Amino acid sequence: MDDAIQLAGFGLLATFVLIALHVPVGIAMGIAGVVGFGLLSGFHPALAMMASETSNALTSLDLLTIPLFVLMGAFASIAGLSEDLYRLAYALVGHRRGGLAMATIGGCAGFGAVCGSSVATAATFGKVSLPSMIRRGYEPGFAAGTVAAGGTLGILIPPSSIMVIYAVLAQELIITLYIAALVPALIAIVFHFFAILAYTQIRPRDAPLGPRVGAAERWGAVRASWPVLVLTCTVVGGMALGVFTATESAAVGAVMAFGFAGMRGALRSSQLRSALLSTASTSAMIYVLIIGASLFGYFSAVTQAPQVLVGWVGEANVPVWVAMLALMVLFVIAGAIFDEVATMVISMPFVLPLVQSWGFDPIWWGVINVVIIEIGMLTPPLGMNVFVVKGIAPQIPLPSIYRGVMPYILSNLCRLGLLLVFPPLVLWLPHLLKG
C-alpha cells in the first residue's frame, strides 16, 4: 500500500514536470496515468485501460454537448448576437454613472448563455465594448478590467464547457449542475454592478455619464435583440424546465444559431469553414483533457491515494470549515499560477473525495470550483482573461488592467464567501425543480 501511495505521489509530480515542459495538460495526465497503472498492474492492462477510456469519451452522449455548444457559440458570434446584446444593455443603463461598464457586464452575461467560454466572451467584448468605453472617456484600465471580469461569466452561466468537464469527471448530471449555477450567476452579475457603483463613486472621472437614449431607440434595441433572447430562453429554459436534455438543448441551440446567422446573411463559406475548424480544435483539446484526466483518475483510484488522504485529514481533527478555507486559499493561489482548468482536473481525484467526506454536495462543490476558476482568470501573475484583453488592446499597460480588475476580484471573493456560508443558494433550485 505504501508503495502505491508513493507511486501516486510520483505520478502527480511527473504530471507537473511534464506540464512545466509545455506538454499539453491532458497528454501529461494521460502519460502519468498509463505509466503509473502499468507499473502497478502491468502495461498490457494499462494499454487496454487507455483504449477503453478513450472509447468511452468519444462515444459519450454527455460529452457530445461540448462540441455542439462550442458550435452554437461560433454561429452566434458570426450572427452578431454579441453586438445586439451590448446595444440593448447600453440602451437600458448606458446613461447612468458606470452604465457602459454595467452594459458590458450584462452583455457578457447574455453572450455567455449562448457561448459557454470565458476566453471567447472576453475576446468578443474586447472588440465590441472596449473601444466604445474608451471613446466615451472611460479610464482604459478600468474599461479593460471590466471586459476581463465580464468574460469570466461565460463559464458560470449555462452552457459552460468547464461544467460539462466537471460533471463528466464527477459522474453528475450536467443539467443539475447547470441549474445549480443559475442563482450564483445572478449573484455574480448583481455583485459586479455593486462593484461598479462603488468604484465610480470613489473615482467618478474614470466612468463619465453617457447620453440618455430615447424610448424609440430602446425599443429598437429590444426588437433587434429578439434572436439572442429567443436563443437564450430556448437553450437555458428548455434545460431548466426539462423539455430538453443537455445534449438536445445544445443541438437545438446550434441549429437556431446557424439559422440566425443565415437569416442575417452573415454565413459566408469562409466564416462557416472557420467556425467548423475552431469548433473541431477546441473540442479536440477538451476531449484530450478529459481522456487524460480519466486515465489519471483511474490510476489514482487504484493506488487508493484519495482514501488515504481522506483518512489523514480525518485523523488530524482539523475543523471542517478551517480545512475548507485552507483549500480555497490553495486553489486561488494555484489558479493564479497554473492553468485554472488544469488545476481543477488534476486535483479532482484527490479533492472531490475529501470534500464529500466532509459532507458537502458534489454539485455545490462544482459551482464553487467554477467560481474559484473565475477568480484565477483575473488574478496576477497570470490571469488568462487579463492577457486576452491585453492582446486585443496592447496599448493599455498590463498593470493598469490588473488595477482595473481589482474591484471585480473583491466582488468575486464576496460572492465566494456568500456561497460558502450559505450552500442552499446553490442547491435550492435543483432541489425545487427535482421536487
Side-chain angles (χ1 to χ4, degrees):
M1 178 65 68
D2 290 340
D3 290 340
I5 299 299
Q6 290 178 2
L7 186 58
F10 283 125
L12 189 61
L13 178 62
T15 300
F16 284 117
V17 169
L18 289 172
I19 293 173
L21 295 174
H22 302 290
V23 175
V25 175
I27 295 176
M29 295 183 72
I31 291 173
V34 170
V35 173
F37 187 80
L39 293 175
L40 282 174
S41 305
F43 282 95
H44 187 273
L47 294 176
M49 175 193 69
M50 181 174 68
S52 64
E53 291 297 322
T54 302
S55 175
N56 291 339
L58 295 177
T59 57
S60 170
L61 288 178
D62 287 337
L63 289 180
L64 182 59
T65 305
I66 293 175
L68 288 173
F69 274 136
V70 173
L71 186 62
M72 181 182 75
F75 286 146
S77 182
I78 292 173
L81 300 189
S82 57
E83 290 87 348
D84 293 340
L85 278 169
Y86 181 66
R87 282 193 293 267
L88 175 61
Y90 174 70
L92 296 176
V93 298
H95 61 283
R96 300 182 181 276
R97 178 77 64 187
L100 277 178
M102 292 182 186
T104 298
I105 295 296
C108 286
F111 191 67
V114 296
C115 176
S117 167
S118 171
V119 171
T121 302
T124 299
F125 276 82
K127 299 172 184 176
V128 172
S129 66
L130 184 57
S132 178
M133 283 192 284
I134 294 176
R135 189 167 57 249
R136 286 171 171 80
Y138 270 61
E139 196 278 319
F142 176 61
T146 300
V147 172
T152 63
L153 296 172
I155 61 171
L156 182 63
I157 297 175
S160 165
S161 297
I162 289 179
M163 286 190 178
V164 174
I165 295 173
Y166 177 88
V168 169
L169 295 179
Q171 298 181 348
E172 298 289 340
L173 292 176
I174 297 172
I175 289 183
T176 304
L177 197 62
Y178 277 170
I179 293 172
L182 292 177
V183 172
L186 180 60
I187 294 173
I189 297 169
V190 172
F191 276 30
H192 282 349
F193 281 0
F194 276 122
I196 292 169
L197 290 172
Y199 181 86
T200 53
Q201 287 296 316
I202 297 171
R203 300 178 64 92
R205 292 184 179 180
D206 288 358
L209 290 170
R212 181 180 291 273
V213 175
E217 290 185 62
R218 290 187 182 184
W219 280 114
V222 171
R223 286 193 298 270
S225 301
W226 73 265
V228 70
L229 297 177
V230 170
L231 182 59
T232 302
C233 291
T234 302
V235 172
V236 179
M239 285 190 292
L241 296 176
V243 178
F244 306 127
T245 65
T247 306
E248 291 167 347
S249 180
V252 169
V255 172
M256 289 181 66
F258 177 83
F260 289 140
M263 183 180 66
R264 292 184 167 187
L267 200 61
R268 299 178 179 84
S269 59
S270 60
Q271 291 176 314
L272 178 60
R273 188 184 310 111
S274 176
L276 294 176
L277 287 174
S278 65
T279 299
S281 61
T282 300
S283 302
M285 177 189 68
I286 295 174
Y287 268 83
V288 169
L289 184 64
I290 292 173
I291 293 168
S294 299
L295 293 171
F296 189 83
Y298 196 94
F299 158 63
S300 65
V302 170
T303 64
Q304 296 188 4
Q307 294 87 331
V308 173
L309 178 62
V310 169
W312 285 347
V313 174
E315 292 172 2
N317 292 321
V318 177
V320 170
W321 280 106
V322 173
M324 177 59 76
L325 289 174
L327 189 61
M328 296 294 101
V329 171
L330 289 174
F331 262 84
V332 170
I333 293 173
I337 299 174
F338 302 105
D339 177 81
E340 292 79 18
V341 181
T343 302
M344 182 185 77
V345 297
I346 292 173
S347 64
M348 184 175 289
F350 305 99
V351 172
L352 185 59
L354 189 61
V355 171
Q356 288 179 295
S357 73
W358 292 336
F360 294 106
D361 192 293
I363 294 294
W364 174 82
W365 173 246
V367 173
I368 293 295
N369 222 325
V370 173
V371 172
I372 296 171
I373 289 174
E374 288 183 296
I375 296 173
M377 298 190 85
L378 300 175
T379 306
L382 292 181
M384 179 64 72
N385 272 23
V386 172
F387 281 93
V388 169
V389 176
K390 173 64 177 176
I392 294 171
Q395 75 278 9
I396 303 177
L398 196 59
S400 296
I401 303 177
Y402 277 125
R403 283 195 300 271
V405 300
M406 285 304 165
Y408 302 105
I409 291 178
L410 293 176
S411 166
N412 279 333
L413 290 174
C414 291
R415 174 169 49 117
L416 177 60
L418 187 66
L419 299 179
L420 287 172
V421 175
F422 300 106
L425 290 172
V426 176
L427 299 174
W428 77 272
L429 188 57
H431 290 165
L432 178 67
L433 294 176
K434 188 182 296 183

